[in-house]
Amino acid sequence: MSGTVTAVSSNGEYTFTKPNRDSITLLTGLGVEGDVHAGVTVKHRSRVAQDPTQPNLRQVHLIHEELFAEVSAEGFKVLPGDLGENITTRGIDLLALPVGTLLRIGDEAVLEVTGLRNPCLQIDHFQSGLLKRVVGRDETGNIIRKAGVMSVVREGGTVRPGDLIQAELPAGPHRPLDRV
């Protein structure tokens, strides 16, 4: 399974959206250099409030560009970085990957997928009604989260738009993604 990086984004301040960059540098065990969510322990405010010593399983957020087209058909305008992701992808089904999948990006970087992003009310503050489009329920009532995946940096490196992404699945049995 493979795809492409379409945009990279980071921000050193707590804001919902992240500006696009020409490149980002991934730091092993930390996240995106200069990004507010980089670190060994949790940096997302809600997680820090619960327990600031938790390991940071949300160092790098990836989201699939195909989601933007899906919500656009429903009247929403979402661009890379708007939902706070660090890496926007195309052509790889991020949501179908199992826990532990390695994503080899460009020449050096390797991310390990840890789980699904758990969308929050900030999405509705960005655009009213958008939260219901990125989280919902399937026909049996199970919660479906579409706002991308979270990962940790296993090998650092520079990531740029246009970089190839290669997914390497872990040995089975595979565990489906859950929120982290």
Side-chain angles (χ1 to χ4, degrees):
M1 188 181 301
S2 64
T4 307
V5 174
T6 60
V8 294
S9 310
S10 67
N11 199 341
E13 299 177 17
Y14 281 106
T15 61
F16 183 69
T17 62
K18 294 186 179 192
N20 296 153
R21 309 288 182 192
D22 293 332
S23 67
I24 56 173
T25 301
L26 301 181
L27 303 173
T28 303
L30 294 174
V32 178
E33 182 177 46
D35 192 82
V36 70
H37 294 114
V40 174
T41 57
V42 292
K43 301 300 175 197
H44 288 77
R45 289 177 175 170
S46 63
R47 306 288 168 132
V48 170
Q50 291 173 0
D51 178 2
T53 66
Q54 294 177 73
N56 188 1
L57 302 178
R58 300 164 56 104
Q59 293 174 358
V60 182
H61 176 201
L62 298 94
I63 199 165
H64 51 296
E65 187 178 72
E66 292 85 354
L67 178 64
F68 303 159
E70 182 182 322
V71 298
S72 174
E74 299 177 22
F76 297 93
K77 183 179 180 184
V78 181
L79 301 172
D82 280 354
L83 297 181
E85 75 276 8
N86 301 109
I87 299 175
T88 309
T89 69
R90 180 181 335 130
I92 186 168
D93 189 354
L94 296 172
L95 303 178
L97 299 172
V99 171
T101 297
L102 297 180
L103 298 175
R104 298 184 182 282
I105 306 175
D107 295 331
E108 308 166 304
V110 179
L111 298 176
E112 181 180 338
V113 177
T114 56
L116 296 168
R117 176 189 182 183
N118 191 31
C120 64
L121 282 175
Q122 288 185 39
I123 291 176
D124 268 351
H125 295 236
F126 173 68
Q127 286 184 45
S128 183
L130 184 58
L131 180 60
K132 287 183 180 178
R133 302 302 179 263
V134 299
V135 71
R137 295 194 181 268
D138 66 15
E139 58 280 346
T140 59
N142 297 312
I143 295 175
I144 303 296
R145 293 173 179 87
K146 300 181 194 177
V149 300
M150 306 307 287
S151 64
V152 294
V153 181
R154 292 294 176 222
E155 294 181 32
T158 301
V159 177
R160 295 176 180 82
D163 281 351
L164 183 65
I165 305 167
Q166 289 282 75
E168 183 179 309
L169 300 180
H174 294 156
R175 279 187 334 169
L177 297 176
D178 198 2
R179 66 185 178 100
V180 291

